[in-house]
Amino acid sequence: MRELSLHILDIVQNSITAGAKLVIINIVEDINLDELVIEIIDNGKGMDDETIKRVMDPFYTTRTTRKVGLGIPLFKNAALTTGGKFYITSRQGSGTIETAVFKHSSIDRQPIGDMSQTMLTLMTGNENIDFLYYHRYVSGEQNDQFIFDTRQIKQALGGADVNVPEIYMWIKEYIQEGISNLYGGVQ
């Protein structure tokens, strides 16, 4: 995968398959620490220690449509290639947290990619699941954040269909503007 947003999309699909009703995507770009941290937190069914070990194996999957499960191993490799780290913590019945830490300045770090499209894809394809996307950017004295919470969007829309082109475009522009503002309006 060429963008981290595609890794995020793949990992969140695992959360959905695990029965999550809330998925939190937490991105922190800390230039001062030279880190990009991506955390995906869900309230799905969780995993035991043995399953955590197996999901790191690209030849393990619970899907019946393919014989390999590359999502987590590729995401882990993307982090490790930059000199970063990767962790999974999980408890059965409580959910899972996947944390990838990238060296922000690494030439091997993939770009974050189109998070607005990732969030729209998740939101429009999973109306009964809530997503919280939190993105923070720290550089020098700058410490800005953008929060996108589908619970607030659903409430504001009053049940309107997000697949209506005008609403879809408004949400896309809202996310793009929020992310752009993290970088001083330039991206």
Side-chain angles (χ1 to χ4, degrees):
M1 290 184 225
R2 295 181 181 204
E3 298 178 350
L4 296 173
S5 62
L6 298 175
H7 287 286
I8 292 167
L9 185 62
D10 191 54
I11 300 301
V12 172
Q13 289 299 329
N14 293 343
S15 297
I16 293 166
T17 301
K21 294 299 177 194
L22 174 64
V23 179
I24 301 168
I25 300 164
N26 185 26
I27 299 176
V28 178
E29 293 181 77
D30 192 326
I31 307 307
N32 299 338
L33 297 176
D34 195 21
E35 286 185 345
L36 166 63
V37 179
I38 299 175
E39 210 174 31
I40 300 168
I41 305 164
D42 71 55
N43 66 352
K45 64 182 179 182
M47 297 180 278
D48 60 25
D49 290 340
E50 185 59 36
T51 304
I52 291 172
K53 289 177 190 171
R54 288 195 317 244
V55 298
M56 298 291 202
D57 178 356
F59 300 105
Y60 171 78
T61 184
T62 58
R63 294 182 184 176
T64 57
T65 55
R66 65 182 189 208
K67 296 190 186 312
V68 294
L70 296 174
I72 292 173
L74 285 175
F75 192 40
K76 177 183 177 182
N77 187 60
L80 297 179
T81 299
T82 70
K85 303 171 195 146
F86 185 84
Y87 311 96
I88 295 179
T89 55
S90 187
R91 282 190 31 206
Q92 287 186 300
S94 298
T96 301
I97 302 171
E98 289 145 312
T99 306
V101 180
F102 301 82
K103 182 175 179 186
H104 196 282
S105 65
S106 173
I107 193 167
D108 294 318
R109 183 182 62 81
Q110 300 163 328
I112 292 175
D114 191 350
M115 282 304 297
S116 63
Q117 191 60 54
T118 295
M119 293 311 300
L120 279 164
T121 300
L122 291 169
M123 186 177 178
T124 58
N126 304 285
E127 298 86 19
N128 297 324
I129 300 173
D130 291 313
F131 300 96
L132 174 60
Y133 167 44
Y134 175 76
H135 195 142
R136 193 168 131 224
Y137 183 81
V138 179
S139 178
E141 297 297 314
Q142 179 184 354
N143 187 349
D144 294 318
Q145 66 182 6
F146 171 68
I147 299 171
F148 177 78
D149 189 336
T150 60
R151 296 168 293 193
Q152 293 174 341
I153 297 295
K154 290 174 185 176
Q155 184 178 23
L157 293 175
D161 185 1
V162 296
N163 290 309
V164 172
E166 295 82 11
I167 295 174
Y168 184 92
M169 289 308 297
W170 177 84
I171 294 171
K172 183 175 180 105
E173 290 170 7
Y174 174 76
I175 296 170
Q176 287 173 334
E177 183 179 326
I179 294 169
S180 178
N181 287 340
L182 290 174
Y183 306 103
V186 182
Q187 198 178 10

